[in-house]
Amino acid sequence: MQKKLDLSTNVQFLHGVGPVRARSLSRLGINCVDDLLMHFPRTWLDRSSATPISELVVDSNATVCGEVLTSGGRSGRGRKSIQSVTIGDRGGVLTCTWFGQPYITKQLQTGMKILVSGKVQLHNSRPQFVHPDFEVLTSESTKLHSGRLVPVYPLTSGIGQHWLRGLTYRTLEQFSNEITEFLPGSLLRKHKLQNRRAALQNMHFPEDEASRTEAQKRFIYEEIAMIQALMGLRKSGHTTNSGIKLHKPGDLTTRLVNGLPFQLTSAQRKVLGDILRDMRTGLPMHRLLQGDVGSGKTLVALLAALFVIEQGWQATIMAPTEVLARQHGESILKLIEPLGISMEVLTGSTPSAQRRKITASAGNGEIDLLVGTHALLGDDVCLPNLGLAVVDEQHRFGVIQRGNASKVESSTPHVLVMSATPIPRSLSLTLYGDLDLSLIDELPPGRKPVQTDLIQPAQLDSMHGLVCNRVKNGQQAYVIYPVIEETEGQDIKSATEEFEKLSQGVFSDFNVALLHGRIKGSDKAEIMSRFAAGEIDILIATTVIEVGVDVANSTTMVIHHPERFGLAQLHQLRGRVGRGELQSWCHLVLDKWVAPESFERIRFFASTNDGFKLAEEDLRRRGPGDIMGVRQHGLPTFSVANPIRDAELVKLCSQDIKELLDADPRLSSEYNRAFKNRIESSFKQLFIHSAG
Ligand code: ADP
Ligand code: MG
């Protein structure tokens, strides 16, 4: 007898899949049957209503049904080939154009009946689609899905649209009885949500527009509900472990604050208050500290660390890059030298003999503060008395070990995560509302906002003139390129080539250095410290300097090919200047031709220095899939919901989940158990993280 298949069955065992296709599917995140059913269409073609070519309206989206008249390719400018297919119906002719996709002309042959959807453009006074979605009409496809909305899925190589659609169709039928509901019935009734089985059916093969919209609503709600419940469970999970209970701030913290050449800003003081309060509750702190670039987060971290150290515990500060770890090490050393605290820096390029020495004394509890990179997560690193782990600009979670010698086996160290990449407010408030979050919403006094401008190719010389003048006056500059070396056939300037040109050309009077990711760690550190000491005037670099580098004397940031960077990255780069009392500039050097969408993004970036505004805009532009900052914070992300578009539903849902958790904090009742199980299996990794 055949083994019964269920939703957790590997797709490889589905009829017509097999190991090779299964491997391709896994690139789409599809491993089991459930994944396949949750692989939603990116759009639907409305087969029931094709527009006659003669009635197409420029700039609107339309679907056309016609016959392939001609199909051919030619080589275009640069290295890309151009594929051109003309399609005719009774009243007109439409051109469809693709770039660099030679297989299209093999697929679309004269005489075929096809359906194409795209945005109508005008080219040589004829309607044109560029990179349209298309569907060849065969008798089977017409039979299988005619007269309805047809799903169009995200694909990968080896997986065809038609094949995937057929597979999904059959799988839905075959597993229909296995699809069970997990959202609590009360919530479904309250919002009149479709049940899971119907919603899946309507998501893939909707009867009509209305049922598709309802199905989408259900999955949006489901997604938000799961994330809200996850955050709620995590939070109550925290309250079950004990943390390290600390007392009032002591002598060290006070002495450091008194010895500073400046006063803490009120935002820094407020945030520090949050942190110290957390650590005195006896529960483990897990706080996210957001503060724009230059707002002084490092000092807050150091004060928090001292607070822990002065009560006999150890602390770590982990930075994402070598450059940054060393920089933290140096600036912290200056501050704590008079306090008699032992600190070491540990990175990937620490020589092994020294590493052994450091790990040994850390293991004995002799080191109070250990600063470093991910090297801190190594198996040989043990901090028996770890009381606080600070993670600066974190990009992934990890577990810092306490080892067996820990005097506090049962308690969890406090964790402080810092980031200059804000989670958009609309997200953090409504979605992650329960996250402990502190905000440094004020820059140290005397800072002047960075002036940002767009430099057209013709203005490059005069911009260089300005930069040279500033450098002659003793200021420093960064010049950033998106790549280390040039790639043949691509028109992108690179740090290495431009370094050669600039250091022998316009910048020949100055000390110019090159910094990028392929330079050895210790050399990188040396270049950075010479730059910090003012021995280097101009640093030509890639984004290795993106995060956290702090040299107050550098007042100019030149960014080449800004279109190649996301808003978050641009913001980080610009944050490297404007860190002192001098006026600073950020020059965005434009190419001759920049795509309109990129141009708009760059212009928007130039119009504001506000990290939160940029984050909101990023969210609006890129949608929910890859929200700026969210991944970095290790928070779950969205695939169907769009927190801005769905703000109303988010609000309702968070209220629902709050009530649900108030009544049943562990979701352990009979009614909620299926929901809880689903959350745990969907966010396995996150559960492991929070346990660590
Ligand atoms: P970020 O928040 O980007 O990590 P940093 O911690 O690197 O910012 O701080 C930026 C600079 O501001 C550092 O040189 C730091 O010494 C300085 N700084 C921090 N707090 C203050 C303050 N209250 N007043 C003046 N300067 C400050
Ligand atoms: Mg920093």
Side-chain angles (χ1 to χ4, degrees):
M1 220 185 76
Q2 227 183 335
K3 189 171 162 269
K4 191 173 169 321
L5 304 181
D6 61 26
L7 296 183
S8 67
T9 301
N10 192 305
V11 282
Q12 144 174 20
F13 301 113
L14 292 175
H15 184 71
V17 179
V20 176
R21 282 241 168 79
R23 226 170 297 134
S24 301
L25 285 171
S26 78
R27 278 202 302 275
L28 292 169
I30 301 173
N31 295 303
C32 63
V33 173
D34 191 57
D35 298 335
L36 177 67
L37 298 182
M38 291 299 283
H39 185 66
F40 291 146
R42 66 181 164 79
T43 183
W44 293 260
L45 295 185
D46 188 355
R47 179 163 299 177
S48 50
S49 65
T51 309
I53 295 175
S54 58
E55 290 171 24
L56 290 176
V57 177
V58 175
D59 278 345
S60 68
N61 288 307
T63 297
V64 164
C65 181
E67 189 182 312
V68 176
L69 302 178
T70 64
S71 170
R74 62 192 151 91
S75 53
R77 208 167 54 93
R79 301 205 307 173
K80 276 192 176 168
S81 57
I82 300 177
Q83 288 71 42
S84 187
V85 173
T86 54
I87 290 161
D89 64 6
R90 283 201 196 124
V93 177
L94 164 79
T95 310
C96 297
T97 306
W98 286 266
F99 296 98
Q101 305 194 9
Y103 62 88
I104 294 269
T105 49
K106 294 207 188 82
Q107 231 171 331
L108 298 181
Q109 289 169 3
T110 311
M112 283 179 166
K113 275 205 87 180
I114 82 166
L115 203 66
V116 278
S117 310
K119 184 163 178 184
V120 184
Q121 304 178 356
L122 215 53
H123 182 70
N124 293 339
S125 60
R126 196 192 257 181
Q128 167 177 259
F129 285 164
V130 177
H131 285 226
D133 286 316
F134 67 91
E135 166 85 11
V136 177
L137 298 177
T138 61
S139 53
E140 195 218 355
S141 68
T142 320
K143 192 183 80 215
L144 187 62
H145 326 290
S146 69
R148 55 162 32 133
L149 294 164
V150 175
V152 179
Y153 297 99
L155 299 175
T156 181
S157 65
I159 301 294
Q161 191 60 257
H162 205 251
W163 181 82
L164 184 57
R165 191 180 297 151
L167 178 70
T168 307
Y169 190 85
R170 290 192 308 273
T171 308
L172 262 173
E173 266 187 349
Q174 186 184 349
F175 290 87
S176 172
N177 289 329
E178 303 289 325
I179 300 168
T180 50
E181 186 56 69
F182 60 77
L183 282 180
S186 56
L187 298 181
L188 291 177
R189 284 190 297 279
K190 180 168 171 193
H191 299 288
K192 300 196 180 59
L193 297 174
Q194 290 182 354
N195 73 46
R196 211 152 196 283
R197 189 180 305 155
L200 277 172
Q201 184 67 41
N202 285 325
M203 210 53 187
H204 292 285
F205 299 99
E207 285 302 333
D208 50 33
E209 193 57 41
S211 52
R212 182 183 70 86
T213 312
E214 283 302 305
Q216 248 175 324
K217 178 177 160 193
R218 185 224 140 94
F219 285 108
I220 292 168
Y221 186 91
E222 173 183 311
E223 190 167 52
I224 299 168
M226 288 191 26
I227 289 174
Q228 298 267 333
L230 170 73
M231 300 309 285
L233 287 170
R234 264 178 131 183
K235 182 136 181 141
S236 59
H238 277 153
T239 57
T240 58
N241 306 19
S242 67
I244 297 161
K245 192 164 163 112
L246 297 172
H247 311 285
K248 280 202 169 97
D251 187 37
L252 286 179
T253 16
T254 324
R255 274 169 60 199
L256 183 81
V257 172
N258 291 341
L260 288 173
F262 47 72
Q263 297 210 315
L264 295 181
T265 63
S266 58
Q268 281 171 319
R269 231 173 290 133
K270 185 185 72 200
V271 164
L272 209 55
D274 290 343
I275 294 170
L276 301 196
R277 203 170 326 110
D278 279 355
M279 293 200 282
R280 292 167 68 180
T281 59
L283 301 172
M285 169 176 77
H286 197 117
R287 183 167 284 277
L288 182 61
L289 169 55
Q290 289 188 3
D292 221 334
V293 283
S295 60
K297 293 185 292 294
T298 318
L299 187 59
V300 171
L302 178 61
L303 285 166
L306 286 182
F307 176 59
V308 168
I309 292 167
E310 69 192 354
Q311 308 195 31
W313 299 90
Q314 293 170 297
T316 60
I317 299 180
M318 186 162 82
T321 65
E322 177 110 24
V323 167
L324 204 56
R326 287 176 191 275
Q327 181 188 285
H328 279 341
E330 279 165 28
S331 57
I332 289 174
L333 191 63
K334 273 187 226 137
L335 289 169
I336 61 172
E337 229 159 16
L339 306 179
I341 287 180
S342 63
M343 184 202 72
E344 290 290 345
V345 177
L346 188 68
T347 71
S349 61
T350 306
S352 53
Q354 201 186 342
R355 180 176 182 117
R356 273 196 300 276
K357 228 176 82 192
I358 293 175
T359 53
S361 45
N364 293 337
E366 285 163 21
I367 292 177
D368 300 314
L369 178 60
L370 193 56
V371 176
T373 57
H374 281 102
L376 296 181
L377 303 179
D379 282 340
D380 55 336
V381 183
C382 273
L383 295 148
N385 305 328
L386 183 64
L388 170 70
V390 180
V391 187
D392 192 11
E393 303 290 353
Q394 85 156 30
H395 288 95
R396 60 186 153 108
F397 271 88
V399 179
I400 296 176
Q401 311 199 0
R402 274 224 195 107
N404 299 330
S406 174
K407 63 177 181 183
V408 280
E409 266 161 58
S410 60
S411 66
T412 313
H414 300 293
V415 175
L416 177 66
V417 176
M418 308 197 293
S419 179
T421 314
I423 297 181
R425 247 187 260 273
S426 57
L427 261 189
S428 58
L429 291 180
T430 49
L431 293 167
Y432 305 119
D434 262 356
L435 194 71
D436 292 320
L437 194 139
S438 295
L439 214 61
I440 307 189
D441 49 6
E442 170 188 20
L443 292 179
R447 298 278 171 87
K448 300 188 180 66
V450 180
Q451 284 183 20
T452 307
D453 56 10
L454 273 52
I455 305 292
Q456 301 292 344
Q459 299 169 303
L460 198 58
D461 286 343
S462 59
M463 181 202 79
H464 280 141
L466 290 173
V467 175
C468 289
N469 277 340
R470 287 176 214 144
V471 176
K472 275 190 202 121
N473 285 331
Q475 302 171 22
Q476 291 162 283
Y478 302 98
V479 183
I480 306 296
Y481 295 90
V483 292
I484 299 178
E485 274 168 5
E486 259 160 46
T487 321
E488 211 194 320
Q490 280 197 322
D491 249 355
I492 299 167
K493 288 187 246 165
S494 75
T496 309
E497 273 87 357
E498 295 300 312
F499 168 73
E500 297 298 330
K501 281 190 216 157
L502 293 171
S503 59
Q504 284 157 36
V506 278
F507 296 151
S508 60
D509 289 347
F510 307 119
N511 292 322
V512 186
L514 174 67
L515 187 73
H516 59 66
R518 268 190 246 140
I519 289 175
K520 218 174 67 190
S522 50
D523 293 345
K524 247 192 261 175
E526 198 203 310
I527 293 170
M528 269 327 293
S529 64
R530 282 177 48 215
F531 186 72
E535 290 164 29
I536 294 169
D537 303 310
I538 301 174
L539 196 60
I540 300 195
T542 58
T543 53
V544 283
I545 65 126
E546 184 186 322
V547 171
V549 169
D550 182 33
V551 179
N553 190 46
S554 41
T555 55
T556 298
M557 167 62 65
V558 180
I559 305 176
H560 288 268
H561 295 290
E563 77 280 1
R564 308 272 301 184
F565 301 103
L567 285 173
Q569 257 183 324
L570 288 172
H571 186 56
Q572 279 284 359
L573 286 170
R574 180 169 56 190
R576 299 310 108 218
V577 296
R579 301 177 76 87
E581 309 216 325
L582 297 167
Q583 176 62 54
S584 290
W585 292 268
C586 175
H587 304 299
L588 306 165
V589 182
L590 298 172
D591 239 349
K592 277 194 237 40
W593 191 83
V594 180
E597 213 184 85
S598 308
F599 181 69
E600 244 184 75
R601 184 181 69 225
I602 297 166
R603 230 183 25 190
F604 179 77
F605 172 72
S607 75
T608 180
N609 281 315
D610 183 334
F612 283 100
K613 266 201 195 144
L614 288 167
E616 292 286 350
E617 180 65 12
D618 207 45
L619 175 63
R620 196 183 68 73
R621 274 171 196 275
R622 293 201 297 175
D626 193 18
I627 295 158
M628 162 167 158
V630 168
R631 286 243 162 87
Q632 282 99 306
H633 297 304
L635 295 172
T637 52
F638 299 85
S639 52
V640 241
N642 176 332
I644 287 187
R645 181 195 62 197
D646 307 323
E648 197 52 35
L649 200 56
V650 169
K651 224 162 68 193
L652 294 174
C653 183
S654 50
Q655 190 55 35
D656 293 342
I657 299 299
K658 197 175 165 306
E659 284 166 17
L660 198 71
L661 285 170
D662 281 346
D664 181 8
R666 289 169 186 281
L667 297 183
S668 52
S669 79
E670 196 185 324
Y671 307 103
N672 297 328
R673 206 174 302 143
F675 186 34
K676 166 93 177 263
N677 289 342
R678 180 77 185 188
I679 295 168
E680 282 189 348
S681 62
S682 300
F683 297 113
K684 230 178 250 149
Q685 268 176 311
L686 289 160
F687 268 93
I688 293 167
H689 285 321
S690 70

